């Protein structure tokens, strides 16, 4: 009668010579199996911690960005990190896309013909050529109410691409802040668009009239109404680049459809 005692099988296995092909394959299989189980258990047990670390890193990056915007700390008041939400928006439909913001590369999306659209010359006031289909937005809420919406944008300046964040107040019609974080304009002239005093001129300006038409923009000379921002003497093309950035990304071909849906409570 065959010996079915597992201990007997194990003793016979251990008694095999070390150069036995059967013993070598069996040991390799057992090591691989144990390793696979260990990796699976580790991955499952660490996933909540990894997810928490990713979320914390997102919130820290967002907090750093908001802290860099002139005057935004005062606007935020007592809002904490839990009130910061990062989402990806489909710019055509103005709705949220099912895309992880942490994995989204805005630069790659803008450069990819399959993930961007060519702009007609008349529509391309920002001078960017193509517009990505998706873009990130940042929503800041306090006690459940929308406090700020922060929108990224870029446009052609005099001799570089100007990149900025535009923050809108909860009414979605008033500029709360603007922060230009990347540019290579003429030193001492065009670079004055990064001057906090000039950026502060945008604060409190309305973006559109009662018909919804975007009217905000830079003017030569002194601003004459609630939509106008003083230009910079000697840096007309650079300051107009910022104006075009704001007008494009708040308009119909930028975040306009999303802002309309947000006003209507559809997103």
């Amino acid at each position: 009668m065959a010996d079915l005692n597992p201990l007997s099988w194990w003793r016979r296995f251990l008694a095999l010579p070390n150069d036995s092909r059967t013993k070598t394959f069996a040991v390799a299989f057992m090591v691989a199996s144990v390793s696979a189980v260990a990796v699976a258990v580790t991955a499952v047990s660490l996933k909540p911690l990894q997810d928490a670390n990713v979320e914390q890193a997102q919130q820290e990056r967002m907090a750093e960005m908001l802290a860099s915007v002139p005057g935004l700390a005062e606007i935020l008041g007592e809002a904490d990190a839990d009130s910061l939400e990062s989402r990806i928006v489909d710019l055509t439909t103005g709705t949220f896309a099912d895309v992880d913001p942490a994995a989204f590369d805005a630069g790659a999306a803008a450069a990819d013909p399959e993930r961007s659209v060519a702009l007609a010359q008349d529509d391309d006031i920002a001078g960017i050529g193509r517009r990505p289909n998706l873009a990130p937005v940042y929503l800041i809420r306090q006690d459940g109410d929308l406090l700020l919406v922060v929108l990224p944008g870029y446009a052609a300046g005099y001799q570089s691409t100007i990149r900025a964040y535009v923050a809108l107040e909860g009414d979605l019609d008033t500029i709360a802040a603007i922060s230009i974080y990347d540019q290579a304009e003429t030193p001492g002239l065009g670079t004055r668009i990064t001057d906090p005093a000039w950026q502060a001129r945008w604060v409190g300006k309305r973006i559109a009239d009662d018909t919804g038409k975007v009217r905000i923009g830079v003017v030569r000379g002194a601003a004459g109404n609630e939509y106008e921002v003083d230009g910079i003497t000697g840096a007309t093309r650079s300051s107009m680049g910022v104006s075009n950035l704001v007008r494009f990304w708040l308009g119909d071909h930028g975040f306009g459809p999303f802002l309309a849906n947000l006003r209507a409570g559809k997103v």
Side-chain angles (χ1 to χ4, degrees), residues 1 54 145 159 172 214 218 232 261:
M1 182 176 179
V54 169
D145 296 325
Q159 60 182 29
L172 304 179
V214 175
V218 169
I232 301 175
N261 284 337

Side-chain angles (χ1 to χ4, degrees), residues 237-251:
R237 292 178 65 177
S238 296
S239 53
M240 288 304 299
V242 178
S243 180
N244 292 336
L245 182 157
V246 174
R247 290 175 58 83
F248 175 83
W249 289 101
L250 295 182

